[in-house]
Amino acid sequence: MIEVELQIVGSLLRAVAEEMGAALVRSAFSANIKERRDCSTAIFDEQGRMIAQAEHIPVHLGAMPDAVAAVMAHDPAAREVWALNDPYTGGTHLPDITLVSRTGVGFAVTRAHHADVGGREPGSMPADSTTLAEEGVVIPPTRLTEEVLSDLVDRMRNPEERRGDLRAQLAAHKLADRRVGELCARRGRAQVVRAMDELFAYSERAMRIGIERLPNGTYEAADVLEPARGELELHAAVTVADDAIAIDFTGTSPQHDGNLNCPLAVTRSACFYVVRVLVDPDVPASGGAFAPVTVRAPAGCLVNARPPAAVAAGNVETSSRIVDVVMRAFGQAVDVPAQGQGTMNNVTLGNDRFTYYETIGGGQGACPTADGPSGVHVAMSNTLSTPVEALELQYPLRVERYGLRRGSGGAGRRRGGDGVVRQLRALEDCRLSIISERRAQAPQGERGGAEGASGRNLLNGGALPAKVTRDLEAGDVVTVETPGGGGWGS
């Protein structure tokens, strides 16, 4: 296939994925999807390989191939839509519900974080869960009929909002089926299939060429997570061998009785993100870019957990720390940015009437050529902030303060970005859950740069732990001060 034709078909496939995402966002009911855009879309070929993705949430996208493989094992028929969220059969954590459907040349996939999936706490992100069952309804690969959809939402809070968000995902799948059909009619199905093969191969070739520029060797690093008690260690050994990379997590702490555990699919996703960022961020985002990367972790460890371990925080917090530790290992071979906030600062508020979930941006690490950006969602998150007007219109909450946390970025030749201060007042009694990191261990600088400020959680001015679930009364004020990024250079 000539280069021009390949570029045209590749752009058209990426456009399908982007349009799926736009349709999902426009059609959604909850602020988490509609405003924060906590969702992702992608197109896969008949072999279950990711061919094109919208530039959405890295932790979603890198783990999607496992979900498609889990559905393919059931031999789905045309016009069937399958749903799953089970972290141990292709999911990430339970609020992320994935839909998979056939197209004329493969599969369309959407994944969206739902504001509640029937967990023990409103929002289904309890800070102190110890088993998967406490975190919500577990959906193994299941054909999504009207009856199944109704049964699922009836087991969740705010069932009509849940139904609306799932129908928004279904609308994206109908759009994908139509657009792929139009593409095949215009270009020829055989031509589209050949283009998919070549796009996958092209991404792999480009990534291998980039990896060959890295110095061969094995580079190791360690970092820690902050559970309710003590610390959990992550250890990564990155081996660069010619045009391939192997990342081994031997030495990482065993899975624990909290919810910082994550399945191997999430661990792979975080590793793929780091490699793509460092090697070739402009390589077409297909599964071929991940083919040269092998990820290994002992079964039953923190980053390759086994059921029924709880995983609510693994997808958001442990994935962020995996990025930090793998990036630090690569830093022994090439220049890397200083550490960013390293947390998504998950805040969930709700009761039987409403559920609200958000992540909060922070400071990112400086790099050799620029200061770190302030107050942004990057790395494994990549979402937006909920606009104040949308939040206050839809929920019994008031934003008392929202601004940069001045001076929280680390000093250096290049300064780390500042975190933010987000202050919410509850206007009716509800439950609060916060899952956060970098409250005890600050983001580190690089090449002599100073560390960023660690984060803080407050209730009515008094300190809260990094991970907490508790009652709120009307009038209570929750403040989250997010970490700043580390500085680069002395």
Side-chain angles (χ1 to χ4, degrees):
M1 180 176 290
I2 61 173
E3 179 75 15
V4 172
E5 180 74 6
L6 172 65
Q7 291 296 332
I8 291 173
V9 177
S11 295
L12 291 171
L13 288 168
R14 286 189 290 274
V16 173
E18 293 284 357
E19 191 177 2
M20 288 172 64
L24 171 53
V25 167
R26 287 198 305 267
S27 305
F29 279 48
S30 68
N32 191 54
I33 301 173
K34 179 172 59 180
E35 304 290 353
R36 292 187 60 251
R37 303 189 182 186
D38 195 347
C39 59
S40 300
T41 54
I43 296 293
F44 284 66
D45 69 6
E46 293 174 310
Q47 300 175 56
R49 303 180 302 180
M50 182 189 288
I51 300 301
Q53 66 176 54
E55 296 294 346
H56 288 154
I57 314 300
V59 75
H60 287 177
L61 294 161
M64 272 186 182
D66 290 60
V68 174
V71 170
M72 288 177 66
H74 295 268
D75 194 22
R79 291 183 293 280
E80 288 182 353
V81 179
W82 287 64
L84 66 87
N85 72 348
D86 186 348
Y88 300 107
T89 55
T92 50
H93 63 177
L94 296 186
D96 288 342
I97 298 180
T98 304
L99 302 190
V100 180
S101 65
R102 279 197 177 275
T103 67
V105 290
F107 300 89
V109 186
T110 63
R111 177 168 280 167
H113 184 117
H114 290 253
D116 188 88
V117 288
R120 189 190 69 206
E121 295 291 339
S124 304
M125 290 285 287
D128 55 354
S129 53
T130 59
T131 65
L132 197 61
E134 297 177 81
E135 298 177 342
V137 176
V138 181
I139 311 169
T142 303
R143 185 184 171 194
L144 190 64
T145 63
E146 279 296 325
E147 294 74 19
V148 169
L149 189 150
S150 293
D151 176 66
L152 288 175
V153 301
D154 286 345
R155 296 155 65 190
M156 302 172 183
R157 295 173 183 83
N158 305 318
E160 290 312 305
E161 185 176 85
R162 303 289 75 71
R163 189 188 306 274
D165 285 346
L166 283 168
R167 289 196 180 282
Q169 286 184 257
L170 287 168
H173 283 261
K174 290 181 180 178
L175 175 66
D177 185 57
R178 185 164 70 250
R179 290 290 186 257
V180 170
E182 292 168 356
L183 177 58
C184 290
R186 189 163 65 248
R187 297 281 171 179
R189 184 182 185 281
Q191 189 80 330
V192 173
V193 171
R194 285 197 298 273
M196 286 179 149
D197 285 340
E198 180 54 30
L199 284 166
F200 188 92
Y202 176 82
S203 293
E204 181 175 352
R205 289 196 302 271
M207 185 59 75
R208 290 191 184 278
I209 290 170
I211 292 171
E212 286 180 331
R213 301 190 188 104
L214 302 177
N216 283 346
T218 297
Y219 313 100
E220 300 186 36
D223 209 328
V224 297
L225 287 160
E226 304 165 5
R229 298 176 302 277
E231 291 180 347
L232 297 168
E233 182 171 325
L234 272 71
H235 183 275
V238 175
T239 300
V240 180
D242 300 326
D243 66 349
I245 291 173
I247 303 174
D248 192 333
F249 288 90
T250 298
T252 293
S253 295
Q255 66 187 58
H256 75 133
D257 60 359
N259 60 19
L260 284 162
N261 310 292
C262 64
L264 189 59
V266 171
T267 301
R268 288 197 196 101
S269 190
C271 294
F272 295 158
Y273 166 81
V274 174
V275 173
R276 186 181 173 205
V277 164
L278 292 180
V279 174
D280 191 348
D282 296 322
V283 68
S286 83
F290 310 145
V293 183
T294 303
V295 179
R296 294 186 291 268
C301 79
L302 193 67
V303 297
N304 187 10
R306 290 292 181 261
V311 298
N315 184 60
V316 287
E317 299 303 290
T318 307
S319 68
S320 300
R321 190 64 68 257
I322 292 169
V323 169
D324 286 346
V325 71
V326 174
M327 192 78 78
R328 176 175 280 183
F330 271 108
Q332 299 171 33
V334 295
D335 282 339
V336 300
Q339 289 184 342
Q341 68 164 347
T343 175
M344 297 191 196
N345 305 294
N346 307 267
V347 177
T348 311
L349 297 123
N351 52 31
D352 290 338
R353 193 180 71 81
F354 81 97
T355 53
Y356 175 69
Y357 169 75
E358 69 175 3
T359 61
I360 306 175
Q364 302 309 313
C367 66
T369 58
D371 294 344
S374 298
V376 293
H377 298 76
V378 297
M380 301 309 289
S381 175
N382 201 36
T383 60
L384 301 179
S385 298
T386 307
V388 172
E389 299 83 358
L391 190 158
E392 295 185 341
L393 181 66
Q394 190 169 349
Y395 302 99
L397 302 168
R398 181 186 301 146
V399 180
E400 299 286 342
R401 182 183 176 192
Y402 184 41
L404 290 179
R405 188 184 177 199
R406 297 291 185 184
S408 55
R413 190 190 319 159
R414 298 291 185 176
R415 188 173 184 87
D418 287 335
V420 305
V421 179
R422 181 85 155 173
Q423 195 171 74
L424 302 173
R425 183 183 296 274
L427 301 182
E428 64 181 57
D429 294 354
C430 59
R431 292 282 282 176
L432 164 71
S433 290
I434 298 178
I435 299 175
S436 59
E437 281 282 325
R438 293 295 190 207
R439 269 47 184 176
Q441 303 284 337
Q444 298 301 297
E446 187 72 20
R447 301 293 196 271
E451 64 184 26
S454 55
R456 293 202 308 165
N457 306 326
L458 306 167
L459 175 60
N460 299 325
L464 285 175
K467 296 166 182 66
V468 61
T469 294
R470 58 167 298 160
D471 289 317
L472 293 185
E473 295 180 353
D476 283 345
V477 177
V478 177
T479 304
V480 178
E481 299 179 357
T482 68
W488 202 99
S490 58

